[in-house]
Amino acid sequence: SDCFHNGDLQVLADITESNGMFNLDPLYLGSQNWLSGRLIRIQVGNYFQGGNVELESLPESISTLSSLATLQVDKNSLTALPSDIGNLSNLKELNISYNDLEILPESIENLGNLEVLSLNDNLLISLSENLCNLNTSCEIDISDNFLCDEFYYSCFENFVNFNWNWQNQEECP
């Protein structure tokens, strides 16, 4: 019960190191769930440990977490996601709300098992039409961003639960 996959532990170490948390034991990073030694859920945000944990970046190595089903990194200061985030083939929930994201990586379309995608309250100024390639049963919340109507693709109407509400369109043509 105390065995952890070395590669998964290394990813947690990469997260702590890339965010300047050199004294934090990776096993105490946010809230984690493990199954058969593999990381299946991680939740990290500035609401843990008295507000002392706030991520500014995610390392590319996060895309090697082959068993990860839930990644909740909402309420941080992320400005970008790793370009290979789409390699998380078992990911069912991705919550990246309340960050500082302006764009999403193209590989996000590869998250074929995704059931929940929370992108609300970011700084998104553009959307890739690749989001249309997600499973239409995926619940997507993209409200409270800076998207102009030109990024509202008709394919979103095929999604069972899609929230586009309030967009700051002051800079739109």
Side-chain angles (χ1 to χ4, degrees):
S1 64
D2 288 345
C3 294
F4 301 101
H5 185 271
N6 190 46
D8 291 5
L9 281 174
Q10 183 58 53
V11 171
L12 293 178
D14 291 349
I15 293 172
T16 58
E17 289 173 18
S18 68
N19 287 282
M21 297 180 266
F22 301 105
N23 294 327
L24 181 64
D25 182 331
L27 288 174
Y28 293 106
L29 177 65
S31 172
Q32 305 168 13
N33 291 96
W34 295 78
L35 180 65
S36 301
R38 301 305 306 256
L39 186 62
I40 59 168
R41 180 187 159 278
I42 184 164
Q43 181 178 10
V44 181
N46 65 16
Y47 42 84
F48 282 105
Q49 300 178 5
N52 294 332
V53 175
E54 185 168 348
L55 301 180
E56 294 179 5
S57 67
L58 291 174
E60 285 289 336
S61 62
I62 200 163
S63 65
T64 65
L65 294 173
S66 59
S67 297
L68 194 66
T70 302
L71 177 59
Q72 294 179 301
V73 288
D74 53 318
K75 299 178 183 156
N76 283 287
S77 298
L78 298 174
T79 58
L81 293 177
S83 60
D84 289 338
I85 194 113
N87 289 349
L88 297 172
S89 58
N90 288 313
L91 200 63
K92 292 184 178 183
E93 181 179 351
L94 177 58
N95 185 343
I96 46 179
S97 299
Y98 298 96
N99 277 285
D100 298 322
L101 299 170
E102 292 183 10
I103 59 171
L104 300 173
E106 295 286 327
S107 71
I108 205 159
E109 74 173 310
N110 297 331
L111 299 174
N113 289 318
L114 209 57
E115 296 171 1
V116 177
L117 176 60
S118 300
L119 301 165
N120 57 295
D121 293 282
N122 274 285
L123 304 174
L124 292 172
I125 56 173
S126 69
L127 277 184
S128 169
E129 222 171 323
N130 289 351
L131 281 179
C132 295
N133 295 332
L134 294 175
N135 189 323
T136 56
S137 65
C138 181
E139 178 182 322
I140 300 177
D141 186 353
I142 200 155
S143 60
D144 296 311
N145 279 283
F146 292 83
L147 298 166
C148 297
D149 287 334
E150 68 188 81
F151 292 107
Y152 184 84
Y153 301 115
S154 60
C155 68
F156 292 141
E157 295 170 5
N158 298 328
F159 283 78
V160 174
N161 194 347
F162 177 78
N163 185 0
W164 167 271
N165 292 339
W166 195 85
Q167 298 294 325
N168 181 343
Q169 297 186 343
E170 291 176 6
E171 302 296 320
C172 293

